[in-house]
Amino acid sequence: DQQVKQNSPSLSVQEGRISILNCDYTNSMFDYFLWYKKYPAEGPTFLISISSIKDKNEDGRFTVFLNKSAKHLSLHIVPSQPGDSAVYFCAASAPQGAQKLVFGQGTRLTINP
Amino acid sequence: NAGVTQTPKFRVLKTGQSMTLLCAQDMNHEYMYWYRQDPGMGLRLIHYSVGEGTTAKGEVPDGYNVSRLKKQNFLLGLESAAPSQTSVYFCASSYRPPGQGTEAFFGQGTRLTVV
């Protein structure tokens, strides 16, 4: 049972436009959500996180929005740059299992010049 | 600053062979993890450790064993490799549990093929 789902395997966006990556979850006990970015042949790197007590967190060009009632979060990248082309993973954890991050399947973002 | 280093980067095993993947971190992190990444599945936690001498099972532990004899090293063992263990393996470490919003640092991965 996939508790964290990224339903779009891939997304293509023009350089300079906004990229929106989506993530849905089923476990209402999740209280922290993180986004990781992965380039080919490298390990994932942390991008941004959000606590369930917030509905928005911003870091430069990256903003994560959390809608708890819909069990949905999204990552906005604006403006999109060619270096943003990568696979993005959404991850979540619950208080009782804080050592365990549950990852989504990933979305491959391609930024076209 | 090396961060998290995995050895080896690539390996091909025959079914039934054994091997050990080594993860080393130089950030004095308490928490260490082994994940596997498969197409369409994201990253799944195999085993983790919350400190030297401790290990615990993750989401997909069957067929794997781990040891954390030294704080900086976390070893993942496959006693009898199976084709289903063909995957990319990632080690990660963090100062606190990653679920508390703390950044986890990942190694570059080990691509394992079992034939």
Side-chain angles (χ1 to χ4, degrees):
Chain A
D1 180 30
Q2 192 81 23
Q3 296 186 68
V4 178
K5 296 182 182 180
Q6 294 175 257
N7 292 317
S8 298
S10 62
L11 176 67
S12 186
V13 174
Q14 195 170 2
E15 183 179 358
R17 297 289 184 101
I18 183 171
S19 295
I20 300 176
L21 294 92
N22 293 305
C23 179
D24 297 299
Y25 62 96
T26 57
N27 188 344
S28 57
M29 297 302 294
F30 286 149
D31 67 343
Y32 259 103
F33 304 89
L34 304 90
W35 285 93
Y36 282 82
K37 175 180 179 180
K38 184 184 179 303
Y39 292 119
E42 294 184 11
T45 55
F46 172 78
L47 191 57
I48 192 169
S49 66
I50 188 168
S51 163
S52 60
I53 63 173
K54 295 184 177 181
D55 55 16
K56 176 183 173 181
N57 189 25
E58 207 170 340
D59 184 2
R61 296 185 297 114
F62 303 92
T63 303
V64 56
F65 295 93
L66 175 62
N67 183 335
K68 288 191 293 290
S69 61
K71 293 190 178 69
H72 176 85
L73 65 156
S74 61
L75 175 68
H76 293 213
I77 306 173
V78 56
S80 300
Q81 298 174 355
D84 296 328
S85 295
V87 177
Y88 289 79
F89 290 99
C90 169
S93 74
Q96 283 80 10
Q99 298 89 350
K100 302 178 185 180
L101 273 179
V102 181
F103 282 84
Q105 307 96 310
T107 297
R108 182 178 300 279
L109 175 65
T110 302
I111 306 301
N112 302 307
Chain B
N1 188 354
V4 179
T5 303
Q6 291 182 231
T7 309
K9 292 185 174 56
F10 303 94
R11 185 73 186 268
V12 178
L13 281 181
K14 293 183 178 179
T15 298
Q17 285 185 318
S18 63
M19 79 164 294
T20 300
L21 283 68
L22 172 64
C23 176
Q25 54 96 1
D26 61 2
M27 296 171 281
N28 202 35
H29 286 165
E30 291 292 338
Y31 297 82
M32 297 189 74
Y33 319 83
W34 277 106
Y35 290 89
R36 59 178 287 174
Q37 183 193 4
D38 302 293
M41 302 290 291
L43 284 85
R44 292 181 293 169
L45 183 65
I46 304 171
H47 286 280
Y48 64 96
S49 169
V50 301
E52 181 179 317
T54 74
T55 63
K57 294 180 180 179
E59 186 183 354
V60 287
D62 294 342
Y64 306 95
N65 56 75
V66 287
S67 64
R68 183 105 180 262
L69 299 179
K70 293 184 178 180
K71 186 177 183 178
Q72 64 267 34
N73 296 337
F74 195 28
L75 279 63
L76 178 71
L78 286 74
E79 290 186 349
S80 179
S84 61
Q85 294 177 305
T86 294
S87 187
V88 180
Y89 292 84
F90 289 100
C91 175
S93 73
S94 65
Y95 175 65
R96 292 186 301 169
Q100 295 177 7
T102 301
E103 176 179 359
F105 294 83
F106 283 79
Q108 76 276 35
T110 296
R111 183 173 294 276
L112 175 66
T113 303
V114 182
V115 298

